[in-house]
Amino acid sequence: LNAAGVPAARVLTVPQALEQPQLTHRNFITRLSHPRRPGRPLHVVGNGVLIDGEAFVPTSPPPLLGEHNAQREEIANRWANAATAAAGEAAAS
């Protein structure tokens, strides 16, 4: 295809893609410890963007299933209360 002027490239598997040197160079993959798997690294992908020449990398593992349920409920309640207050203010005007 390239000889015919058609842009083309190999299709890589996910493991092959993650082994590409440019990802290592940009610190795209961060190895973190996971609370439920001590001694086994958790590989977390970054976003590939450099800020002032530095990779923006995760500093903590993703949350466990249900870890933030209490905070989620609190935020949902605050939003609902704010929406109710705003609707009351709009009706009063």
Side-chain angles (χ1 to χ4, degrees), residues 6 11 17-20 25 27 29 34 46 55-56 60 64-65 76 87:
V6 177
V11 176
L18 293 176
E19 291 174 358
Q20 295 302 302
H25 176 74
N27 295 321
I29 300 168
H34 195 284
F56 185 71
S60 62
L64 300 172
L65 182 62

Side-chain angles (χ1 to χ4, degrees), residues 1-89:
L1 291 173
N2 288 328
V6 177
R10 262 182 351 163
V11 176
L12 303 175
T13 65
V14 172
Q16 289 172 329
L18 293 176
E19 291 174 358
Q20 295 302 302
Q22 62 266 37
L23 295 182
T24 302
H25 176 74
R26 293 179 73 96
N27 295 321
F28 188 72
I29 300 168
T30 302
R31 287 156 185 80
L32 301 169
S33 61
H34 195 284
R36 292 217 176 136
R37 298 185 336 179
R40 291 183 60 201
L42 175 66
H43 298 89
V44 181
V45 296
N47 64 11
V49 175
L50 298 180
I51 300 172
D52 292 332
E54 297 293 322
F56 185 71
V57 297
T59 57
S60 62
L64 300 172
L65 182 62
E67 182 176 343
H68 296 111
N69 282 356
Q71 293 94 331
R72 183 182 51 81
E73 292 296 326
E74 178 186 328
I75 291 168
N77 288 335
R78 276 190 292 169
W79 285 348
N81 294 338
T84 301
E89 290 173 12

